[in-house]
Structure formats: C-alpha cells, structure tokens
Amino acid sequence: MDALVLNDVRKSYGNREAVHGISLTVREGEIFGLIGHNGAGKTTTLRMISTLLRITSGSISVYGHDVTTEPDEVRKIISYLPEDAGAYKDLTGRAYLEFMASFFASGDEKRAMVQKGIDIADLGDRIDSKVDTYSKGMMRRLLIARAIMPSPKLAIMDEVTSGLDVINAYEIRDVIRSIARSGVTVVMSSHNMFEVDMLCDRVGMIDQGNLILLGTPSDLKREYGVDTLEEVFVKAVKG
Ligand code: ATP
C-alpha cells in the first residue's frame, strides 16, 4: 500500500515559490530519506505532509487521506517531530510522556502508551529526572518516544540526529529501524549522507525546490558510478 503520495506539490511563500511541483510515493513500512542542501525545501515539504503548512497547489495523501480536505484524518495517523522540538523543561521525562499521552488516551490505554514511550526513550532511572537536566541526546530520545508512543502509521522526522554524538546518533538510528520494523512508515530529512545510506530504503533529493533524484541508495550510487551517497549528492548538485 502507498503510505504517502505527493502529486505535483507546490508551495509559495508570498510570490516566491519554494517547492516546484514535487511528485513521489512512499510505500508502507519504508524508511524514506529527504536530502538536499540548506534551503532546498525539505522542511517545507515535511510540514506540508504534516498538515502544518497549506500547499499552494497539487495534492498530498497519507494512507489515502488528503491533507487539504481531510486534515483531521491525517493528523490521527501521523506524528511530526520538528528539528527544533523541545519538551516542557519543568516536567520529568515520565510526566512529559504522561501529559502528552493524555491527548490520545485515558486509563489502561494511556498507561500502556506511556510505558511504550518509556521503553522507546530507554533512559533508565533518568526518566524521573527533570527534562532540563537532560543532554541533547536524552532529549531527542524522549521526543522520539513522544512521537512514536501513540503508534502513528507515518512518522515524519526533520533532521532527527542533527547535533548528536556518534553513540546517540547510532542509537537513534536503531530506534528508527525498530520503529519501521514494527510497520510504521518513516519519512525523515537528514544532512548526514552516511546515515541516509545506512538507514533509508529510498532517498529523494531536493535541489532548489525540485526533486532531482529518487531511488534506493545503492541504485543512485550505481547510476552515478560512485561509492558513497555523498558523492552522488555532490555530482547531482554540481554536475
Ligand atoms: P535546511 O536544511 O536549512 O533546514 P530546508 O531544505 O529544510 O533547509 P526550507 O526550510 O524548506 O529548506 O526552506 C525552503 C525555502 O523556503 C528557503 O528559501 C527558505 O528561505 C524559504 N522559506 C521557508 N520558510 C519560509 C517562510 N515562512 N517564509 C518565507 N520563506 C520561507
């Protein structure tokens, strides 16, 4: 089944078009990576998929629901984790997950959801420390737990490992793999070509608002006759 279909999607800010007619399909259970240099249009695209930004023209459907005409249906089955997301600093990690879970469930269902979040965050006894004592890596784990505990069908993550050290980034990639293994479709952006190569089933590259490449990392490397996705990126942008 197609989890996500973008059909000739355009977005203008005022009279300047930032996304110029992107079309792509993401299959259920895939980890799909959006790459592109700063200002290419990745966040704009992710925010349109997440119903947070109105599309100027074209269409986006998430598991068959149109983001423009059925935004509430889309919101029920997605989670969006922005790059600059934060949590309430005066709460403990556990209290934050409990607070967020209360928007989705109550009673036993809520308790199970919070436990799922605690398991994903995997912060040990620091789950009972205040969020303002967390490192960047711990905070990111908590936010991923928050995004995944309501069991979305599509998880959208913007630069989820940016600024993290090697171990934290490695562990978060592991969390993303296990999310996908459990059947959740993942659409993520990243500037880390090594990460995208390791993690993503397919990749779309945006350059100045245009989708210029689409394929599996290995197909793209073969097509460009290079060993790394980084070289594909440079060749595609610089020619
Ligand atoms: P980065 O990797 O730096 O996060 P990006 O690929 O996510 O970049 P976007 O944030 O989607 O890029 O921005 C795409 C273009 O749209 C840029 O030229 C940016 O300046 C412009 N843009 C983004 N948000 C707005 C806005 N609210 N108003 C006007 N222009 C905007």
Side-chain angles (χ1 to χ4, degrees), residues 11-14 16-19 35-47 53 83 158-159 189-191 206 209:
K11 176 67 190 174
S12 296
Y13 293 110
R16 196 180 153 273
E17 195 172 77
V19 171
I35 60 176
H37 54 73
N38 292 128
K42 303 177 298 296
T43 299
T44 298
T45 303
L46 296 181
R47 284 174 60 81
L53 206 53
E83 184 192 0
D158 202 354
E159 295 185 36
S189 72
S190 178
H191 286 291
I206 303 181

Side-chain angles (χ1 to χ4, degrees), residues 53-66:
L53 206 53
R54 189 181 288 274
I55 62 180
T56 303
S57 69
S59 65
I60 300 178
S61 77
V62 180
Y63 284 89
H65 298 291
D66 187 281

Side-chain angles (χ1 to χ4, degrees), residues 23 54 73 114 120 122 142 153 167:
S23 298
R54 189 181 288 274
E73 293 306 311
V114 172
I120 294 170
D122 198 19
L142 183 71
K153 293 174 90 167
I167 300 291

